[in-house]
Amino acid sequence: MQSPNIRSLLFFNEFFPEEELEKSFPLEVLNYVEEHVDVRNPLVWILMISLAGTKLLKTRGVWRYMFNNFKLLRALNYERTTGIKIVGFKLPRDIGNLIHLRFLSLKDLEFVWPKLPSSLGNLRCLQTLDLRVGNYRIHVPNVIWRMEQLRHLYLPLYCKSSTKLKLGTLRKLLTLVNFNTKNCYLKDLINMTNLRELGINLPFNIENFNEKDVETRISELPEYHYFSSHLAYIQLRRCELEKEPMPTLEKLPNLRILELEETFKGKEMFCSAQGFPRFESLNIGELCNFEEWEVDEGAMPSLLRLEITRCPRLKMLPEGLRFITTLKELKFESMPKAFKDRLEEEGGEDFYKVKH
């Protein structure tokens, strides 16, 4: 641990017992820990660097020692500590010294951080940043815009109201998860022309989005030109859309996978001809009011898989499915008996729509 040029550090044992701590760490590290750590609050961490191996380390001071001495690290992954919850702990600001980091993950940690340090903005080389720290509200400083090399960004599920992030400089971004308009700016999506995956979560306000945050669910999707034309996968869950999403989504030229779960409160959906040109998989689930679905001939010409789950009022499959010759897999789960009876191979009224 005294090597200043270390790139990888792997721990495979479960704990450093007290009696082994002095044997495992050089005196320089132990002195650093003693100087910087409140001994009344001993903490246990898990470290995994270079995406392999885990090891519980004692005290925050060990981390600070690493952040100040292992400045050539490229990957740092904090693994979740099963069964251990550390409350009120802050990520040391010294992490900003690791300016060569390409990968940083804080995913699934079981402790509360009031806020992340602004020194994160020093990590200009990051390509992957995962801040999904669990079901806690944390403050993320407005420094992510400096990380212009980012390809994959996973924001926290819940942020404090003081968090407001500018992301418009992240033009190389491929993945953006847990985006919302309470903590981010909708207009920044326009610059993300390489985006492949977008996960929208919680508040999503379209009207007047530059000035006011509104704690509402998503009532309607923005017009299609606000989305990257490169999007291939979209999942919408528990949005309670009042307006049908298909007229917007079907215009995305590279969309291949769409999952709609508890998303639409209306009764009817319509897919027009030439809509969803590269569509391969559609999953519709738990739309309690959904009754009628119409599909024009020529819509979804590349569809391979269709799944419908728990849509109790859907009466029948659309006529237009019989024109989709690419369809290979159908899955219906927890649907009414009348719906299933229409698809029986012998005598079912709807079987001709999917017999191919």
Side-chain angles (χ1 to χ4, degrees), residues 128-132 152-156 175-178 197:
T128 297
L129 177 60
D130 194 337
L131 300 178
R132 293 173 292 180
H152 308 282
L153 174 59
Y154 303 87
L155 296 172
T175 304
L176 176 58
V177 171
N178 287 334
E197 178 179 345

Side-chain angles (χ1 to χ4, degrees), residues 224-240:
Y224 74 94
H225 60 263
Y226 281 104
F227 294 94
S228 165
S229 62
H230 298 282
L231 273 176
Y233 168 69
I234 293 180
Q235 181 192 62
L236 298 174
R237 298 180 65 241
R238 301 177 183 174
C239 302
E240 297 188 2

Side-chain angles (χ1 to χ4, degrees), residues 65-246:
Y65 178 88
M66 292 181 183
F67 295 163
N68 282 283
N69 291 278
F70 299 162
K71 296 183 180 180
L72 297 180
L73 280 177
R74 298 300 198 272
L76 179 58
N77 187 350
Y78 288 30
E79 283 291 306
R80 180 172 61 90
T81 309
T82 305
I84 297 177
K85 185 174 291 188
I86 306 173
V87 179
F89 185 76
K90 294 182 180 179
L91 183 69
R93 63 178 180 272
D94 308 67
I95 194 172
N97 295 329
L98 304 180
I99 59 174
H100 296 289
L101 272 184
R102 266 62 167 180
F103 179 97
L104 174 61
S105 175
L106 312 178
K107 185 181 179 184
D108 292 335
L109 289 175
E110 290 291 330
F111 49 82
V112 179
W113 282 329
K115 61 180 180 179
L116 297 176
S118 59
S119 61
L120 281 175
N122 296 343
L123 309 182
R124 304 288 184 88
C125 295
L126 273 182
Q127 296 182 7
T128 297
L129 177 60
D130 194 337
L131 300 178
R132 293 173 292 180
V133 296
N135 296 322
Y136 305 109
R137 290 191 181 276
I138 66 171
H139 173 68
V140 182
N142 183 29
V143 296
I144 296 178
W145 62 270
R146 299 179 185 173
M147 307 172 185
E148 296 185 10
Q149 302 303 313
L150 270 181
R151 267 69 165 180
H152 308 282
L153 174 59
Y154 303 87
L155 296 172
L157 184 62
Y158 303 108
C159 289
K160 290 192 173 182
S161 58
S162 56
T163 295
K164 194 67 175 182
L165 304 174
K166 295 181 179 179
L167 305 175
T169 57
L170 308 182
R171 297 178 180 273
K172 296 182 180 181
L173 212 58
L174 302 175
T175 304
L176 176 58
V177 171
N178 287 334
F179 178 89
N180 66 61
T181 56
K182 184 179 188 302
N183 305 118
C184 309
Y185 295 95
L186 179 60
K187 65 178 182 179
D188 288 346
L189 294 179
I190 298 175
N191 295 330
M192 302 176 189
T193 56
N194 293 303
L195 205 61
R196 299 293 192 276
E197 178 179 345
L198 173 63
I200 298 173
N201 179 55
L202 296 176
F204 194 87
N205 182 37
I206 296 174
E207 298 296 330
N208 201 22
F209 58 80
N210 287 322
E211 302 174 14
K212 186 177 180 181
D213 295 321
V214 181
E215 288 279 1
T216 63
R217 295 191 181 273
I218 304 172
S219 59
E220 62 178 296
L221 295 181
E223 295 180 15
Y224 74 94
H225 60 263
Y226 281 104
F227 294 94
S228 165
S229 62
H230 298 282
L231 273 176
Y233 168 69
I234 293 180
Q235 181 192 62
L236 298 174
R237 298 180 65 241
R238 301 177 183 174
C239 302
E240 297 188 2
L241 294 174
E242 296 176 0
K243 291 190 176 181
E244 182 191 352
M246 295 306 192

Side-chain angles (χ1 to χ4, degrees), residues 9 46-54 63 75-79:
L9 180 59
I46 283 185
L47 167 67
M48 184 178 80
I49 299 179
S50 296
L51 306 180
T54 59
W63 286 107
L76 179 58
N77 187 350
Y78 288 30
E79 283 291 306

Side-chain angles (χ1 to χ4, degrees), residues 236-269:
L236 298 174
R237 298 180 65 241
R238 301 177 183 174
C239 302
E240 297 188 2
L241 294 174
E242 296 176 0
K243 291 190 176 181
E244 182 191 352
M246 295 306 192
T248 294
L249 298 176
E250 69 179 9
K251 293 182 176 66
L252 301 179
N254 291 294
L255 188 61
R256 288 179 169 85
I257 300 173
L258 176 62
E259 297 180 6
L260 304 176
E261 181 181 339
E262 295 184 70
T263 296
F264 178 49
K265 297 197 297 185
K267 296 181 179 181
E268 301 176 356
M269 285 200 300

